[in-house]
Amino acid sequence: QECSPMLGELCKKSAGDDVVTTVPITDVKPDIFRHLLYYIYGGEVPDGDLKANAKDIIDAADKYGVANLKLEAEACFVNSTPITIDNMMGNLLDADAKNCALLKEAVMDFIVENGMEVYEKISFENIPGNLMKDLLSPMNRVKKKDADGESGNHLGIMRINDLRRKLDEKGLDVDGSRETMIATLKENS
């Protein structure tokens, strides 16, 4: 149950209940759920399957609380999927909804690198306001790097991988939004 609290709760028996209960899983494709269970029981999702199904695996792992699989699938998706004008908004909203900080960072980096084209072609009318702070991080990282040749150690402009590395070194949870990771690091320093 520690690997997936959500699945543990679904399968939990009532006190004194010896009846085998069927738990319908209708919101995840069978192959994706098979990967999820295999991972929970100590297996690794083959790279090709992870790459081909990264978005579905992220969704399932997020839904059932399998954080490490979600992070692996997110990293695979970010490394194998170029961010474009056509997919950036969908990726940004998905990343925000699922707390995929690495994917959100990749989209924000794309926005900063392609600012004028994004400005001309994308409407930000329905974008949640909380994403503005996420956008400021790569903008300030670029600005600071231009000013002194390095990005520095300020938590607010650190890359997601660096924040996750710091959290991991302290034995803390590495899943969550940029704000959550920064707050956790500040609380534990």
Side-chain angles (χ1 to χ4, degrees):
Q1 184 176 354
E2 199 170 301
C3 291
S4 177
M6 176 72 168
L7 278 175
E9 282 299 312
L10 282 175
C11 299
K12 195 182 216 179
K13 290 184 181 182
S14 301
D17 185 11
D18 289 333
V19 179
V20 175
T21 305
T22 302
V23 179
I25 306 290
T26 58
D27 54 352
V28 177
K29 297 174 193 168
D31 285 347
I32 302 304
F33 196 73
R34 192 172 298 111
H35 287 309
L36 185 80
L37 286 177
Y38 185 65
Y39 186 88
I40 289 170
Y41 282 98
E44 290 186 22
V45 178
D47 289 342
D49 290 346
L50 192 61
K51 187 175 179 180
N53 300 294
K55 279 279 215 170
D56 289 334
I57 291 171
I58 290 168
D59 291 344
D62 185 62
K63 178 176 178 68
Y64 291 104
V66 186
N68 287 341
L69 178 58
K70 176 185 145 187
L71 296 175
E72 285 182 33
E74 177 190 11
C76 179
F77 183 79
V78 167
N79 290 329
S80 65
T81 306
I83 305 299
T84 66
I85 288 290
D86 295 330
N87 71 17
M88 66 162 263
M89 196 57 71
N91 282 324
L92 180 60
L93 295 174
D94 284 350
D96 190 50
K98 301 268 187 295
N99 268 331
C100 292
L102 188 64
L103 176 56
K104 192 186 296 186
E105 180 179 75
V107 174
M108 294 300 181
D109 286 345
F110 176 84
I111 291 170
V112 169
E113 292 166 11
N114 300 279
M116 198 57 173
E117 184 180 11
V118 171
Y119 174 78
E120 291 172 351
K121 295 181 178 179
I122 301 295
S123 167
F124 286 89
E125 195 171 296
N126 297 317
I127 296 298
N130 66 303
L131 295 177
M132 285 309 297
K133 191 169 186 178
D134 288 310
L135 181 56
L136 290 172
S137 182
M139 290 173 66
N140 285 319
R141 190 170 36 252
V142 167
K143 191 175 178 180
K144 180 152 177 50
K145 190 171 186 174
D146 288 345
D148 61 12
E150 59 179 72
S151 326
N153 285 325
H154 187 273
L155 293 176
I157 62 173
M158 274 188 175
R159 297 198 93 22
I160 295 300
N161 283 335
D162 294 332
L163 290 171
R164 285 182 174 160
R165 189 174 6 270
K166 283 187 171 291
L167 288 163
D168 186 55
E169 287 169 359
K170 293 179 181 244
L172 301 169
D173 186 14
V174 298
D175 190 22
S177 67
R178 171 182 291 281
E179 290 81 17
T180 301
M181 288 186 261
I182 290 170
T184 302
L185 284 168
K186 285 180 179 178
E187 288 170 12
N188 291 280
S189 43

